[in-house]
Amino acid sequence: MALLLLSLGLGLVCAQDFNPQRIVQRNYDISKVSGTWYSISMAADNRKRIEEDGDLRIFIEGIQVVEDGGLKLSFHFMLHAECTDVAVVCGKTGKSGEYTINYLGENSLRILEADYQRYVILHMRNFRNGTATQVLALYGRFPELKSSFLDRFHKACRSHGLGPEKIIPFSNQDPCYTR
């Protein structure tokens, strides 16, 4: 029995090995993005918006492709110390991996890169009350990811002008986690 548990544990660790050949950065097969996701880390040029009680501090639950090719994002956030579930539908733009959302203002959402079985990095621009906010999010298929995936996210943040002081780790921070 102990050997079986050890094998299972090692299998899960190996399943998270970073493989650059699996990374997709264009021509996305959006059907492979569907499923359960976990919030791993977020970064924003206005960090207050993703800090505790920030209006863009969300915890992803899942992504589903809808009939017209858009995406349905299911997530939750804390509102008055209560978990609040939300689902929004992102409209297709005609460009692979790019969408629009009407949530707390006008938003554009773009997939920066993905390994469909392990992680996805999203880039969002929120326009609200004449102010633009840039947000990057790292979602994983597992509640935690190895440091190689976090390094990849940090690199994406740097390429969008977001330094380490703008990044907040979300692993094990979800107050509503029940999965």
Side-chain angles (χ1 to χ4, degrees):
M1 181 68 168
L3 184 58
L4 177 64
L5 289 174
L6 178 62
S7 298
L8 179 62
L10 288 174
L12 287 174
V13 169
C14 291
Q16 280 199 44
D17 283 344
F18 182 77
N19 183 344
Q21 295 172 342
R22 283 189 265 225
I23 296 172
V24 180
Q25 295 180 314
R26 64 184 175 281
N27 301 322
Y28 299 99
D29 180 349
I30 217 61
S31 68
K32 293 182 179 180
V33 175
S34 282
T36 300
W37 291 96
Y38 299 89
S39 294
I40 304 298
S41 194
M42 289 182 86
D45 51 8
N46 180 353
R47 188 178 164 169
K48 286 187 181 292
R49 295 192 69 188
I50 61 169
E51 289 176 348
E52 198 166 324
D53 297 324
D55 63 335
L56 293 178
R57 184 182 181 90
I58 65 166
F59 294 89
I60 193 76
E61 294 173 359
I63 300 174
Q64 299 300 321
V65 178
V66 294
E67 211 170 283
D68 69 356
L71 296 178
K72 176 182 172 187
L73 303 178
S74 300
F75 57 89
H76 57 265
F77 61 91
M78 295 299 292
L79 180 65
H80 307 297
E82 296 287 328
C83 294
T84 302
D85 292 321
V86 175
V88 297
V89 175
C90 309
K92 244 172 56 167
T93 65
K95 292 184 179 179
S96 180
E98 292 190 18
Y99 302 87
T100 60
I101 315 167
N102 217 347
Y103 176 77
L104 298 175
E106 295 293 321
N107 300 277
S108 63
L109 179 76
R110 183 167 52 105
I111 299 172
L112 292 182
E113 66 179 52
D115 172 343
Y116 302 121
Q117 297 173 347
R118 288 163 186 76
Y119 77 99
V120 63
I121 298 174
L122 301 180
H123 178 257
M124 183 184 79
R125 294 200 52 86
N126 172 266
F127 302 95
R128 184 177 183 194
N129 301 327
T131 303
T133 302
Q134 173 180 222
V135 179
L136 269 72
L138 172 62
Y139 300 145
R141 292 287 190 183
F142 307 93
E144 293 186 50
L145 293 176
K146 287 185 173 181
S147 63
S148 52
F149 299 98
L150 299 174
D151 293 343
R152 197 78 194 168
F153 179 66
H154 286 231
K155 180 180 175 187
C157 289
R158 281 191 307 274
S159 73
H160 285 84
L162 302 174
E165 73 283 359
K166 301 292 186 176
I167 300 171
I168 298 177
F170 275 37
S171 291
N172 299 315
Q173 300 291 317
D174 187 343
C176 308
Y177 179 72
T178 58
R179 294 180 261 176

